[in-house]
Amino acid sequence: MPRVHYGFSPEGPIAEIKPHSIAKHKVLHSYLSAYFQTLAPSHQQEELKLTIVDGFAGGGIYEHSISKEPVLGSPFVFLKAAQEAEAIINQGRNKPFRMNIDYFFIEKEKDAHTLLKNTLIQEEYGARLETDIKLIHGTFEQQITPISEFIKKKNPRNGRSIFFLDQYGYTDVPTDVVRRILGSFPTAEIILTFNVDSFINFASDSSTTNNILRNTGIPDALRGRSIEDIKNSERDFRLYIQSCLYQELVTKCGARFFTSFFIRTEGHGDYWLVHLSQHHRARDVMTKIHWSHNNHFIHYGGPGLNMYEVLGYDHKYDLSNSNQLGFDFLFDNPAEERSVNLLMNQLPHYIFSHDEGISFGELFATTCNTSPADSIRYKKSVEQLYSHKEIEILSTDGKKRTKATTIRDTDRLIPSKQRSFSFE
């Protein structure tokens, strides 16, 4: 199975970057900017301690495949998102807030490593090299142990960190490595790419395919079935294999919360950007990015709970403003209406099974992995249930909530004695 590497050279010409990778960087920037701000909610907080690891950092600069303009790579997405978020957080504050972030940019290709160093210097980050910016020539797997020790020393209580693992294929980041990170650090997050369509295109009943699954850490992903059997018996064998791979991947990674979407290239070249974390708040921020940037995201499954969650981006949408024919769920206004309406029918099952009620935070945390909805759409459906007199929404001091915008995680959702719905 082929793996495509960028052809970096310190002397030039620089490598080409395509629209789907630029979209990936937009998603990453939006997520980081939003999440940084959620980590500093209090005006009394003066500092955020965080470690960011870019495990496959690349050369730092590319040439746009269409416009031919220079485009900075993922290390600069992290650096600039932090600068922007710090400026936003400091607006209106009496005490200045500081982002105490250490960056590890790892790249195994010598020429790419050299180019990244030169680009950091050209972009005026040279003075920070070997202070808060650690530029490492090596592989991610080689560096994970010393970096983990650094994180434990910096954040001994929670190990707050973000790992961006934009691997070239699907075996550079085995699931046991991800599981070790998430098991060691309660607030760690991992953003992982997985070239799913490349795997499907070249998968066969051969030792090569079996070795890839084993090296990735998901040897039983196909549930004992052969590739030939799947192709001959499944109406959409690609979707079936995607579903098997996705469920096994998130299970073996050991994340409590996850979301995934497709980055679509040309033809069958789709790959996943998977977000893994141990807290529903991080998952919610990523899902909000799906909704706020709906031209980048598409979901193949249904709008409610128990969906098959594979989300996607088609770079041609940006180029031709097409209607994304063939995809069901575009994170647009009709999709929101469908999600809210379906959740109105599904959530009461979980609420009514608790006579004493259930907190909104618990309801969201125990169901969000199987829904494309974020907490905003959940709250809108809960508001509708209240307006139909199906539930009561009570704050911790017993006051009634009536609007979605006022609902808090600690608010209790209680079955109304006047409810008219019947659920088996």
Side-chain angles (χ1 to χ4, degrees), residues 248-278:
E248 190 75 358
L249 182 68
V250 296
T251 298
K252 289 298 177 66
C253 283
R256 291 184 60 204
F257 298 95
F258 43 85
T259 184
S260 173
F261 62 90
F262 268 121
I263 301 291
R264 166 147 287 195
T265 60
E266 294 83 9
H268 290 300
D270 299 355
Y271 64 93
W272 287 326
L273 194 65
V274 185
H275 178 252
L276 305 155
S277 69
Q278 302 292 48

PDB file of all heavy atoms in Angstrom, residues 248-278:
ATOM      1  N   GLU A 248     -13.429  -0.228  15.816  1.00  0.00           N
ATOM      2  CA  GLU A 248     -12.288  -0.894  16.445  1.00  0.00           C
ATOM      3  C   GLU A 248     -11.207   0.107  16.831  1.00  0.00           C
ATOM      4  O   GLU A 248     -10.584  -0.010  17.890  1.00  0.00           O
ATOM      5  CB  GLU A 248     -11.725  -1.944  15.484  1.00  0.00           C
ATOM      6  CG  GLU A 248     -10.688  -2.870  16.100  1.00  0.00           C
ATOM      7  CD  GLU A 248     -11.298  -3.913  17.033  1.00  0.00           C
ATOM      8  OE1 GLU A 248     -12.528  -3.894  17.219  1.00  0.00           O
ATOM      9  OE2 GLU A 248     -10.536  -4.725  17.573  1.00  0.00           O
ATOM     10  N   LEU A 249     -10.994   1.118  15.986  1.00  0.00           N
ATOM     11  CA  LEU A 249      -9.967   2.117  16.253  1.00  0.00           C
ATOM     12  C   LEU A 249     -10.252   2.887  17.534  1.00  0.00           C
ATOM     13  O   LEU A 249      -9.388   2.989  18.415  1.00  0.00           O
ATOM     14  CB  LEU A 249      -9.863   3.081  15.064  1.00  0.00           C
ATOM     15  CG  LEU A 249      -8.791   4.165  15.155  1.00  0.00           C
ATOM     16  CD1 LEU A 249      -7.398   3.551  15.094  1.00  0.00           C
ATOM     17  CD2 LEU A 249      -8.966   5.198  14.038  1.00  0.00           C
ATOM     18  N   VAL A 250     -11.463   3.426  17.666  1.00  0.00           N
ATOM     19  CA  VAL A 250     -11.763   4.235  18.852  1.00  0.00           C
ATOM     20  C   VAL A 250     -11.820   3.370  20.110  1.00  0.00           C
ATOM     21  O   VAL A 250     -11.476   3.815  21.205  1.00  0.00           O
ATOM     22  CB  VAL A 250     -13.068   5.044  18.673  1.00  0.00           C
ATOM     23  CG1 VAL A 250     -12.922   6.048  17.541  1.00  0.00           C
ATOM     24  CG2 VAL A 250     -14.273   4.136  18.431  1.00  0.00           C
ATOM     25  N   THR A 251     -12.237   2.108  19.955  1.00  0.00           N
ATOM     26  CA  THR A 251     -12.276   1.211  21.107  1.00  0.00           C
ATOM     27  C   THR A 251     -10.872   0.900  21.605  1.00  0.00           C
ATOM     28  O   THR A 251     -10.577   0.999  22.803  1.00  0.00           O
ATOM     29  CB  THR A 251     -12.992  -0.106  20.747  1.00  0.00           C
ATOM     30  OG1 THR A 251     -14.339   0.175  20.374  1.00  0.00           O
ATOM     31  CG2 THR A 251     -12.993  -1.066  21.929  1.00  0.00           C
ATOM     32  N   LYS A 252      -9.982   0.533  20.683  1.00  0.00           N
ATOM     33  CA  LYS A 252      -8.619   0.160  21.075  1.00  0.00           C
ATOM     34  C   LYS A 252      -7.803   1.369  21.534  1.00  0.00           C
ATOM     35  O   LYS A 252      -6.839   1.209  22.279  1.00  0.00           O
ATOM     36  CB  LYS A 252      -7.922  -0.541  19.908  1.00  0.00           C
ATOM     37  CG  LYS A 252      -8.467  -1.934  19.622  1.00  0.00           C
ATOM     38  CD  LYS A 252      -8.253  -2.857  20.821  1.00  0.00           C
ATOM     39  CE  LYS A 252      -8.847  -4.240  20.609  1.00  0.00           C
ATOM     40  NZ  LYS A 252      -8.180  -4.984  19.546  1.00  0.00           N
ATOM     41  N   CYS A 253      -8.171   2.568  21.102  1.00  0.00           N
ATOM     42  CA  CYS A 253      -7.459   3.767  21.562  1.00  0.00           C
ATOM     43  C   CYS A 253      -7.809   4.117  23.005  1.00  0.00           C
ATOM     44  O   CYS A 253      -7.065   4.860  23.667  1.00  0.00           O
ATOM     45  CB  CYS A 253      -7.767   4.956  20.647  1.00  0.00           C
ATOM     46  SG  CYS A 253      -6.879   4.911  19.069  1.00  0.00           S
ATOM     47  N   GLY A 254      -8.936   3.626  23.489  1.00  0.00           N
ATOM     48  CA  GLY A 254      -9.291   3.819  24.887  1.00  0.00           C
ATOM     49  C   GLY A 254      -9.832   5.180  25.240  1.00  0.00           C
ATOM     50  O   GLY A 254      -9.785   5.584  26.410  1.00  0.00           O
ATOM     51  N   ALA A 255     -10.356   5.915  24.262  1.00  0.00           N
ATOM     52  CA  ALA A 255     -10.908   7.240  24.537  1.00  0.00           C
ATOM     53  C   ALA A 255     -12.353   7.136  25.021  1.00  0.00           C
ATOM     54  O   ALA A 255     -13.143   6.371  24.463  1.00  0.00           O
ATOM     55  CB  ALA A 255     -10.843   8.111  23.286  1.00  0.00           C
ATOM     56  N   ARG A 256     -12.703   7.906  26.016  1.00  0.00           N
ATOM     57  CA  ARG A 256     -14.099   7.947  26.480  1.00  0.00           C
ATOM     58  C   ARG A 256     -14.962   8.738  25.515  1.00  0.00           C
ATOM     59  O   ARG A 256     -16.142   8.449  25.349  1.00  0.00           O
ATOM     60  CB  ARG A 256     -14.178   8.571  27.876  1.00  0.00           C
ATOM     61  CG  ARG A 256     -13.588   7.746  28.997  1.00  0.00           C
ATOM     62  CD  ARG A 256     -13.808   8.430  30.325  1.00  0.00           C
ATOM     63  NE  ARG A 256     -15.239   8.612  30.582  1.00  0.00           N
ATOM     64  CZ  ARG A 256     -15.738   9.551  31.386  1.00  0.00           C
ATOM     65  NH1 ARG A 256     -14.922  10.418  31.979  1.00  0.00           N
ATOM     66  NH2 ARG A 256     -17.033   9.653  31.573  1.00  0.00           N
ATOM     67  N   PHE A 257     -14.366   9.737  24.854  1.00  0.00           N
ATOM     68  CA  PHE A 257     -15.134  10.594  23.947  1.00  0.00           C
ATOM     69  C   PHE A 257     -14.373  10.731  22.639  1.00  0.00           C
ATOM     70  O   PHE A 257     -13.145  10.836  22.608  1.00  0.00           O
ATOM     71  CB  PHE A 257     -15.377  11.966  24.575  1.00  0.00           C
ATOM     72  CG  PHE A 257     -16.182  11.887  25.844  1.00  0.00           C
ATOM     73  CD1 PHE A 257     -15.550  11.849  27.072  1.00  0.00           C
ATOM     74  CD2 PHE A 257     -17.565  11.796  25.804  1.00  0.00           C
ATOM     75  CE1 PHE A 257     -16.284  11.743  28.242  1.00  0.00           C
ATOM     76  CE2 PHE A 257     -18.304  11.685  26.964  1.00  0.00           C
ATOM     77  CZ  PHE A 257     -17.663  11.656  28.187  1.00  0.00           C
ATOM     78  N   PHE A 258     -15.121  10.744  21.537  1.00  0.00           N
ATOM     79  CA  PHE A 258     -14.477  10.780  20.230  1.00  0.00           C
ATOM     80  C   PHE A 258     -15.427  11.341  19.188  1.00  0.00           C
ATOM     81  O   PHE A 258     -16.645  11.298  19.335  1.00  0.00           O
ATOM     82  CB  PHE A 258     -14.034   9.376  19.810  1.00  0.00           C
ATOM     83  CG  PHE A 258     -15.037   8.295  20.079  1.00  0.00           C
ATOM     84  CD1 PHE A 258     -16.057   8.023  19.185  1.00  0.00           C
ATOM     85  CD2 PHE A 258     -14.964   7.543  21.243  1.00  0.00           C
ATOM     86  CE1 PHE A 258     -17.000   7.036  19.437  1.00  0.00           C
ATOM     87  CE2 PHE A 258     -15.905   6.551  21.510  1.00  0.00           C
ATOM     88  CZ  PHE A 258     -16.915   6.293  20.605  1.00  0.00           C
ATOM     89  N   THR A 259     -14.846  11.882  18.149  1.00  0.00           N
ATOM     90  CA  THR A 259     -15.593  12.302  16.974  1.00  0.00           C
ATOM     91  C   THR A 259     -14.661  12.189  15.781  1.00  0.00           C
ATOM     92  O   THR A 259     -13.446  12.277  15.915  1.00  0.00           O
ATOM     93  CB  THR A 259     -16.138  13.739  17.096  1.00  0.00           C
ATOM     94  OG1 THR A 259     -16.944  14.038  15.951  1.00  0.00           O
ATOM     95  CG2 THR A 259     -15.022  14.755  17.185  1.00  0.00           C
ATOM     96  N   SER A 260     -15.244  11.948  14.601  1.00  0.00           N
ATOM     97  CA  SER A 260     -14.434  11.747  13.412  1.00  0.00           C
ATOM     98  C   SER A 260     -15.135  12.348  12.209  1.00  0.00           C
ATOM     99  O   SER A 260     -16.368  12.362  12.147  1.00  0.00           O
ATOM    100  CB  SER A 260     -14.213  10.248  13.177  1.00  0.00           C
ATOM    101  OG  SER A 260     -13.571  10.025  11.950  1.00  0.00           O
ATOM    102  N   PHE A 261     -14.358  12.845  11.237  1.00  0.00           N
ATOM    103  CA  PHE A 261     -14.940  13.312   9.988  1.00  0.00           C
ATOM    104  C   PHE A 261     -13.973  13.014   8.857  1.00  0.00           C
ATOM    105  O   PHE A 261     -12.787  12.773   9.063  1.00  0.00           O
ATOM    106  CB  PHE A 261     -15.278  14.807  10.029  1.00  0.00           C
ATOM    107  CG  PHE A 261     -14.097  15.698  10.234  1.00  0.00           C
ATOM    108  CD1 PHE A 261     -13.385  16.177   9.154  1.00  0.00           C
ATOM    109  CD2 PHE A 261     -13.696  16.057  11.499  1.00  0.00           C
ATOM    110  CE1 PHE A 261     -12.291  17.000   9.338  1.00  0.00           C
ATOM    111  CE2 PHE A 261     -12.600  16.881  11.694  1.00  0.00           C
ATOM    112  CZ  PHE A 261     -11.903  17.345  10.612  1.00  0.00           C
ATOM    113  N   PHE A 262     -14.512  13.005   7.654  1.00  0.00           N
ATOM    114  CA  PHE A 262     -13.703  12.740   6.491  1.00  0.00           C
ATOM    115  C   PHE A 262     -13.073  14.021   5.953  1.00  0.00           C
ATOM    116  O   PHE A 262     -13.725  15.055   5.868  1.00  0.00           O
ATOM    117  CB  PHE A 262     -14.559  12.163   5.357  1.00  0.00           C
ATOM    118  CG  PHE A 262     -14.616  10.671   5.342  1.00  0.00           C
ATOM    119  CD1 PHE A 262     -15.837  10.023   5.449  1.00  0.00           C
ATOM    120  CD2 PHE A 262     -13.471   9.917   5.202  1.00  0.00           C
ATOM    121  CE1 PHE A 262     -15.908   8.648   5.416  1.00  0.00           C
ATOM    122  CE2 PHE A 262     -13.531   8.535   5.165  1.00  0.00           C
ATOM    123  CZ  PHE A 262     -14.757   7.897   5.277  1.00  0.00           C
ATOM    124  N   ILE A 263     -11.828  13.918   5.570  1.00  0.00           N
ATOM    125  CA  ILE A 263     -11.193  14.889   4.691  1.00  0.00           C
ATOM    126  C   ILE A 263     -11.193  14.221   3.326  1.00  0.00           C
ATOM    127  O   ILE A 263     -10.549  13.185   3.130  1.00  0.00           O
ATOM    128  CB  ILE A 263      -9.751  15.195   5.109  1.00  0.00           C
ATOM    129  CG1 ILE A 263      -9.702  15.750   6.532  1.00  0.00           C
ATOM    130  CG2 ILE A 263      -9.099  16.150   4.128  1.00  0.00           C
ATOM    131  CD1 ILE A 263     -10.285  17.123   6.681  1.00  0.00           C
ATOM    132  N   ARG A 264     -11.919  14.766   2.376  1.00  0.00           N
ATOM    133  CA  ARG A 264     -12.070  14.105   1.076  1.00  0.00           C
ATOM    134  C   ARG A 264     -11.114  14.695   0.061  1.00  0.00           C
ATOM    135  O   ARG A 264     -11.060  15.893  -0.160  1.00  0.00           O
ATOM    136  CB  ARG A 264     -13.506  14.228   0.583  1.00  0.00           C
ATOM    137  CG  ARG A 264     -13.680  13.878  -0.889  1.00  0.00           C
ATOM    138  CD  ARG A 264     -15.010  13.244  -1.180  1.00  0.00           C
ATOM    139  NE  ARG A 264     -15.047  11.875  -0.675  1.00  0.00           N
ATOM    140  CZ  ARG A 264     -15.976  10.990  -1.050  1.00  0.00           C
ATOM    141  NH1 ARG A 264     -16.920  11.335  -1.883  1.00  0.00           N
ATOM    142  NH2 ARG A 264     -15.956   9.780  -0.557  1.00  0.00           N
ATOM    143  N   THR A 265     -10.349  13.816  -0.577  1.00  0.00           N
ATOM    144  CA  THR A 265      -9.435  14.224  -1.632  1.00  0.00           C
ATOM    145  C   THR A 265     -10.091  13.913  -2.972  1.00  0.00           C
ATOM    146  O   THR A 265     -11.311  13.955  -3.089  1.00  0.00           O
ATOM    147  CB  THR A 265      -8.084  13.501  -1.476  1.00  0.00           C
ATOM    148  OG1 THR A 265      -8.307  12.087  -1.555  1.00  0.00           O
ATOM    149  CG2 THR A 265      -7.465  13.816  -0.136  1.00  0.00           C
ATOM    150  N   GLU A 266      -9.318  13.595  -3.982  1.00  0.00           N
ATOM    151  CA  GLU A 266      -9.893  13.274  -5.276  1.00  0.00           C
ATOM    152  C   GLU A 266     -10.180  11.780  -5.349  1.00  0.00           C
ATOM    153  O   GLU A 266      -9.362  10.968  -4.960  1.00  0.00           O
ATOM    154  CB  GLU A 266      -8.941  13.648  -6.429  1.00  0.00           C
ATOM    155  CG  GLU A 266      -8.710  15.145  -6.563  1.00  0.00           C
ATOM    156  CD  GLU A 266      -7.647  15.644  -5.615  1.00  0.00           C
ATOM    157  OE1 GLU A 266      -6.982  14.802  -4.973  1.00  0.00           O
ATOM    158  OE2 GLU A 266      -7.486  16.874  -5.504  1.00  0.00           O
ATOM    159  N   GLY A 267     -11.360  11.421  -5.884  1.00  0.00           N
ATOM    160  CA  GLY A 267     -11.708  10.012  -6.032  1.00  0.00           C
ATOM    161  C   GLY A 267     -11.796   9.347  -4.677  1.00  0.00           C
ATOM    162  O   GLY A 267     -12.297   9.913  -3.714  1.00  0.00           O
ATOM    163  N   HIS A 268     -11.331   8.118  -4.575  1.00  0.00           N
ATOM    164  CA  HIS A 268     -11.335   7.401  -3.308  1.00  0.00           C
ATOM    165  C   HIS A 268     -10.038   7.675  -2.569  1.00  0.00           C
ATOM    166  O   HIS A 268      -9.142   6.838  -2.523  1.00  0.00           O
ATOM    167  CB  HIS A 268     -11.523   5.905  -3.548  1.00  0.00           C
ATOM    168  CG  HIS A 268     -12.889   5.549  -4.021  1.00  0.00           C
ATOM    169  ND1 HIS A 268     -14.028   5.808  -3.281  1.00  0.00           N
ATOM    170  CD2 HIS A 268     -13.311   4.970  -5.152  1.00  0.00           C
ATOM    171  CE1 HIS A 268     -15.087   5.380  -3.952  1.00  0.00           C
ATOM    172  NE2 HIS A 268     -14.683   4.877  -5.088  1.00  0.00           N
ATOM    173  N   GLY A 269      -9.935   8.844  -2.024  1.00  0.00           N
ATOM    174  CA  GLY A 269      -8.734   9.206  -1.286  1.00  0.00           C
ATOM    175  C   GLY A 269      -9.067   9.765   0.077  1.00  0.00           C
ATOM    176  O   GLY A 269      -8.304  10.555   0.618  1.00  0.00           O
ATOM    177  N   ASP A 270     -10.211   9.396   0.632  1.00  0.00           N
ATOM    178  CA  ASP A 270     -10.655   9.964   1.890  1.00  0.00           C
ATOM    179  C   ASP A 270      -9.782   9.484   3.060  1.00  0.00           C
ATOM    180  O   ASP A 270      -9.297   8.360   3.073  1.00  0.00           O
ATOM    181  CB  ASP A 270     -12.102   9.559   2.180  1.00  0.00           C
ATOM    182  CG  ASP A 270     -13.061  10.057   1.118  1.00  0.00           C
ATOM    183  OD1 ASP A 270     -12.617  10.789   0.226  1.00  0.00           O
ATOM    184  OD2 ASP A 270     -14.252   9.708   1.187  1.00  0.00           O
ATOM    185  N   TYR A 271      -9.606  10.393   4.036  1.00  0.00           N
ATOM    186  CA  TYR A 271      -8.987   9.952   5.281  1.00  0.00           C
ATOM    187  C   TYR A 271      -9.675  10.631   6.455  1.00  0.00           C
ATOM    188  O   TYR A 271     -10.316  11.671   6.312  1.00  0.00           O
ATOM    189  CB  TYR A 271      -7.475  10.208   5.279  1.00  0.00           C
ATOM    190  CG  TYR A 271      -7.034  11.645   5.210  1.00  0.00           C
ATOM    191  CD1 TYR A 271      -6.777  12.377   6.364  1.00  0.00           C
ATOM    192  CD2 TYR A 271      -6.839  12.278   3.981  1.00  0.00           C
ATOM    193  CE1 TYR A 271      -6.354  13.689   6.305  1.00  0.00           C
ATOM    194  CE2 TYR A 271      -6.398  13.587   3.902  1.00  0.00           C
ATOM    195  CZ  TYR A 271      -6.157  14.281   5.064  1.00  0.00           C
ATOM    196  OH  TYR A 271      -5.736  15.587   5.008  1.00  0.00           O
ATOM    197  N   TRP A 272      -9.549  10.011   7.608  1.00  0.00           N
ATOM    198  CA  TRP A 272     -10.203  10.518   8.802  1.00  0.00           C
ATOM    199  C   TRP A 272      -9.330  11.496   9.564  1.00  0.00           C
ATOM    200  O   TRP A 272      -8.111  11.367   9.594  1.00  0.00           O
ATOM    201  CB  TRP A 272     -10.517   9.370   9.768  1.00  0.00           C
ATOM    202  CG  TRP A 272     -11.622   8.480   9.357  1.00  0.00           C
ATOM    203  CD1 TRP A 272     -12.750   8.807   8.675  1.00  0.00           C
ATOM    204  CD2 TRP A 272     -11.702   7.071   9.616  1.00  0.00           C
ATOM    205  NE1 TRP A 272     -13.539   7.701   8.493  1.00  0.00           N
ATOM    206  CE2 TRP A 272     -12.922   6.628   9.048  1.00  0.00           C
ATOM    207  CE3 TRP A 272     -10.880   6.155  10.254  1.00  0.00           C
ATOM    208  CZ2 TRP A 272     -13.332   5.294   9.120  1.00  0.00           C
ATOM    209  CZ3 TRP A 272     -11.273   4.835  10.334  1.00  0.00           C
ATOM    210  CH2 TRP A 272     -12.485   4.424   9.771  1.00  0.00           C
ATOM    211  N   LEU A 273      -9.979  12.446  10.207  1.00  0.00           N
ATOM    212  CA  LEU A 273      -9.366  13.247  11.259  1.00  0.00           C
ATOM    213  C   LEU A 273     -10.170  12.905  12.512  1.00  0.00           C
ATOM    214  O   LEU A 273     -11.332  13.292  12.632  1.00  0.00           O
ATOM    215  CB  LEU A 273      -9.447  14.738  10.929  1.00  0.00           C
ATOM    216  CG  LEU A 273      -8.568  15.668  11.767  1.00  0.00           C
ATOM    217  CD1 LEU A 273      -7.098  15.388  11.506  1.00  0.00           C
ATOM    218  CD2 LEU A 273      -8.867  17.119  11.440  1.00  0.00           C
ATOM    219  N   VAL A 274      -9.562  12.142  13.401  1.00  0.00           N
ATOM    220  CA  VAL A 274     -10.251  11.606  14.579  1.00  0.00           C
ATOM    221  C   VAL A 274      -9.819  12.386  15.812  1.00  0.00           C
ATOM    222  O   VAL A 274      -8.620  12.550  16.059  1.00  0.00           O
ATOM    223  CB  VAL A 274      -9.928  10.109  14.771  1.00  0.00           C
ATOM    224  CG1 VAL A 274     -10.742   9.531  15.929  1.00  0.00           C
ATOM    225  CG2 VAL A 274     -10.196   9.329  13.495  1.00  0.00           C
ATOM    226  N   HIS A 275     -10.801  12.853  16.584  1.00  0.00           N
ATOM    227  CA  HIS A 275     -10.519  13.570  17.830  1.00  0.00           C
ATOM    228  C   HIS A 275     -10.842  12.650  18.999  1.00  0.00           C
ATOM    229  O   HIS A 275     -11.951  12.123  19.107  1.00  0.00           O
ATOM    230  CB  HIS A 275     -11.359  14.847  17.916  1.00  0.00           C
ATOM    231  CG  HIS A 275     -11.144  15.610  19.188  1.00  0.00           C
ATOM    232  ND1 HIS A 275     -12.087  15.664  20.190  1.00  0.00           N
ATOM    233  CD2 HIS A 275     -10.096  16.363  19.619  1.00  0.00           C
ATOM    234  CE1 HIS A 275     -11.632  16.414  21.181  1.00  0.00           C
ATOM    235  NE2 HIS A 275     -10.435  16.839  20.860  1.00  0.00           N
ATOM    236  N   LEU A 276      -9.863  12.429  19.878  1.00  0.00           N
ATOM    237  CA  LEU A 276      -9.987  11.510  21.008  1.00  0.00           C
ATOM    238  C   LEU A 276      -9.678  12.247  22.298  1.00  0.00           C
ATOM    239  O   LEU A 276      -8.674  12.973  22.386  1.00  0.00           O
ATOM    240  CB  LEU A 276      -9.016  10.338  20.845  1.00  0.00           C
ATOM    241  CG  LEU A 276      -9.120   9.544  19.535  1.00  0.00           C
ATOM    242  CD1 LEU A 276      -7.801   8.864  19.219  1.00  0.00           C
ATOM    243  CD2 LEU A 276     -10.240   8.522  19.627  1.00  0.00           C
ATOM    244  N   SER A 277     -10.514  12.061  23.305  1.00  0.00           N
ATOM    245  CA  SER A 277     -10.288  12.736  24.582  1.00  0.00           C
ATOM    246  C   SER A 277     -10.971  11.949  25.701  1.00  0.00           C
ATOM    247  O   SER A 277     -11.674  10.977  25.459  1.00  0.00           O
ATOM    248  CB  SER A 277     -10.827  14.171  24.546  1.00  0.00           C
ATOM    249  OG  SER A 277     -12.244  14.179  24.501  1.00  0.00           O
ATOM    250  N   GLN A 278     -10.772  12.423  26.922  1.00  0.00           N
ATOM    251  CA  GLN A 278     -11.383  11.774  28.090  1.00  0.00           C
ATOM    252  C   GLN A 278     -12.442  12.659  28.741  1.00  0.00           C
ATOM    253  O   GLN A 278     -12.908  12.346  29.832  1.00  0.00           O
ATOM    254  CB  GLN A 278     -10.295  11.427  29.127  1.00  0.00           C
ATOM    255  CG  GLN A 278      -9.186  10.528  28.603  1.00  0.00           C
ATOM    256  CD  GLN A 278      -9.644   9.122  28.286  1.00  0.00           C
ATOM    257  OE1 GLN A 278     -10.654   8.929  27.624  1.00  0.00           O
ATOM    258  NE2 GLN A 278      -8.921   8.129  28.772  1.00  0.00           N
TER     259      GLN A 278
END
